[in-house]
Every structure is written in structure tokens, then in C-alpha cells.
Amino acid sequence: MRTLSAAGALVALAALAGCAASPPAPITTIGELGAAYLDAGGQCDDLVEQYRESDDDPVVATCGADTELILAGSADEALAVATERQLQEQTVLVFDRWVIRDPDLETIQQELGGQIVTLAPADGPANMADAIAFDADGAIERDPVPAEGAPEALPDASAVPDVLVVVDPACEYCDRLLEASGKELEEMADAGEARVAYLPVSLGDSIGNGYASTLGANALACVADAEPAAYREFQTALLSMLQRQPFDAASASALAAEHGAEVGDCIAEGRFAWWVRQATVRAIEEPLQGVEPLRGVPTVVVDGVTFAGDVSDADALAAFIAEGR
């Protein structure tokens, strides 16, 4: 639980506060949580405690597919679990050390208090639809993707190679790609030798990395929205940082500020987390550059052809791009 400042902020943003008639008694065992759940109006009485690999793991009891009771070791750990469920687009009730997922959360909340948290639909960032693209004129302005909408396709890249770079902020090999070729990709776009677009996706979230995939991609979206000119250098710096430490909202915000983007509130509240999840689903389900869906990260596609070489080999990637149009 090294990154709970970010997790807690995201939980608080999308929370529906509720108060019990009287403060609930502290719950210290999964049996007490199950009893409190049933006393509060929970309808699923066939709760089964699940196997734990370690005594340090939260205690989990489930009933069918829709009810889950979780007792964590601390309130911070419960917030982290609630954030994980939230980023999976599940709605949960969280208070102190426990988390409940159930169809009747509002009824249960009336008795037990706590916060109902959910990942609410929201529009995406400006300039990312779903990728942020650069050419000789800088970042190409794009309208935000509506919460329930789809991105408009970029116009044809005309006479230059059309490059799409797909990365996950938590991905080691994505960091290697940008370390090796990030500057050269930037120079190609700025010189008008290629149009280079970047699409951040979320494939590697875990409690241990601070949900670095989703919250890292959200941080990238925040910078694209507010200061698109800072995006590329910030992206390289952020991925490098996330290979050394879990995601932390304060650290990411400070890094963005170092690159000229004051987006601390946007990063802390996970403003574009909904868009990150939807953009990831689109990348997995829909053809990239009209060819095939995303199969893994990093992925570099040039004029509809996927680079199959070593992502750490800058010369090989540059030659592949040069062989485009």
C-alpha cells in the first residue's frame, strides 16, 4: 500500500456519501462482516470464504457472482481494494477496513454507512481521440471523445509514414522503446518526416504497482488535455519513473509540473480514468489503423504494418518507419 494517496483520491471523487443511523461497531472478522451485511438488508446468505495465498491478503467471502465481502488489514488497504474494483467498473461500498459489492448497496449503506464508489462515465481529454498525434505543426487538435461516444478517425497522413505507438505506463518494454526511440520519434514528427501518434492503454494494473497502468494513462491524458506540447517528454519521464516505483499522484503531478503541465488536480482525482478504460477496450476490440486489434504492448504500427523487431533497437525501428510510404 505505497500509493494510497492516489487511490484514495480516485475513490473520493466518484463516491456517493451515506450515513448510518448510528456509527457501526468496528468489524474485525469476516464473520462479523457477514452478519452485519445480513442485518443491514443483504439478501445473499450463502457466503463462502475464499482461499487466501497469504495471511496478509484481505479476507474475501462471496455469494454467487454479484456479492463479495472483503475485510482488509487496514483502512488504507480497503481503499486500495475499492479502487481496484472501481477501475474494473464495479460499484462497491467501502468503510474503514471493509468493502462490499452487492446489488443492494444503497439499502446496506443506510444501516452501515460508508461510501458507494463507482467509476462514473466522463468525457475524454482534448487532443486524444484516442491517440494524441504529432506532425510538423505540433500536436494535432482533437475534440474530446464523449463519455458514451467513439473517437473520430484522424485524416490521412498523406505523403509521410503514419506511425502509431501503443504503450502501457507500467510496461517495462514500453519504457525500453521510449528510452531507445522516443527522441527520434519526436524529431521525425517535428521535421515533418512522419506523423506519430501515441495511445496509452491499461493492461497491467495491480495493487502493488499503485494501478500504474490506469492512473499512469490518466496522468498522460491530463497532460495531453492541458499542455499537449509537454506530452512526449512527460510520457518518457513517467514511464521511466514507473519502472522504479509504484504510481503516486504527488510524484506524477510534480513530474508533470517539471515538464510545464500543472495538472495535479486532474491526476489526483483520476479525471480521465473512465476514458482510459474505454480507450483500452476499443484498442483490444477494434483494428488499429484498420488492420488488427491490440495484441500486447508495446506495439508500433506503421501504415497498417506492425513492427516485429526488437523495441530496444532504435536503428531497426527507424528503418522500418523509413520503409513506410
Side-chain angles (χ1 to χ4, degrees):
M1 307 307 97
R2 274 67 57 191
T3 61
L4 294 172
S5 59
L10 182 61
V11 166
L13 173 72
L16 306 175
C19 299
S22 58
I27 292 174
T28 60
T29 69
I30 195 68
E32 291 176 356
L33 180 56
Y37 160 78
L38 292 171
D39 289 344
Q43 299 297 309
C44 204
D45 59 4
D46 189 20
L47 292 162
V48 178
E49 185 173 339
Q50 301 299 300
Y51 170 76
R52 291 190 294 163
E53 292 186 357
S54 166
D55 289 342
D56 294 331
D57 293 339
V59 185
V60 179
T62 61
C63 180
D66 298 327
T67 297
E68 183 180 33
L69 276 57
I70 303 167
L71 184 67
S74 67
D76 280 349
E77 187 177 10
L79 279 179
V81 171
T83 297
E84 181 178 49
R85 298 300 189 270
Q86 187 179 8
L87 294 178
Q88 294 168 350
E89 299 183 39
Q90 298 176 0
T91 301
V92 297
L93 176 66
V94 58
F95 180 80
D96 192 35
R97 291 173 51 198
W98 53 260
V99 179
I100 295 174
R101 178 171 60 86
D102 188 83
D104 298 317
L105 288 182
E106 292 185 6
T107 299
I108 297 166
Q109 183 189 44
Q110 294 303 313
E111 295 297 323
L112 296 185
Q115 292 179 317
I116 295 175
V117 299
T118 189
L119 189 61
D123 292 349
N127 307 309
M128 298 194 86
D130 281 317
I132 181 170
F134 295 86
D135 60 16
D137 296 321
I140 299 173
E141 293 185 6
R142 311 289 302 283
D143 291 333
V145 180
E148 305 291 353
E152 294 183 4
L154 277 166
D156 188 81
S158 64
V160 297
D162 189 11
V163 182
L164 174 63
V165 180
V166 187
V167 298
D168 181 320
C171 160
E172 176 187 351
Y173 283 87
C174 300
D175 174 53
R176 293 186 187 185
L177 167 66
L178 293 180
E179 178 67 24
S181 298
K183 193 64 179 177
E184 186 164 5
L185 289 169
E186 183 175 345
E187 290 172 353
M188 284 182 183
D190 291 349
E193 298 170 357
R195 183 176 71 188
V196 182
Y198 303 90
L199 171 60
V201 296
S202 171
L203 301 174
D205 277 335
S206 71
I207 290 179
N209 69 20
Y211 314 102
S213 293
T214 297
L215 298 182
N218 172 77
L220 291 170
C222 291
V223 172
D225 182 75
E227 295 291 344
Y231 181 91
R232 292 174 292 186
E233 290 189 1
F234 173 67
Q235 177 177 245
T236 299
L238 179 67
L239 267 65
S240 177
M241 183 181 77
L242 291 177
Q243 303 315 303
R244 304 188 301 272
Q245 67 179 64
F247 183 88
D248 174 75
S251 297
S253 298
L255 188 65
E258 289 176 14
H259 289 82
E262 298 291 342
V263 290
D265 289 345
C266 178
I267 290 175
E269 69 189 30
R271 184 175 300 166
F272 298 117
W274 168 267
W275 169 82
V276 170
R277 304 301 294 176
Q278 305 314 306
T280 300
V281 169
R282 284 190 285 267
I284 292 170
E285 295 183 349
E286 300 173 10
L288 298 174
Q289 287 195 349
V291 181
E292 64 176 6
L294 181 67
R295 301 302 183 199
V297 287
T299 289
V300 181
V301 186
V302 181
D303 294 330
V305 181
T306 302
F307 177 63
D310 180 356
V311 297
S312 299
D313 189 337
D315 291 339
L317 179 56
F320 181 76
I321 294 172
E323 290 170 1
R325 298 190 179 183

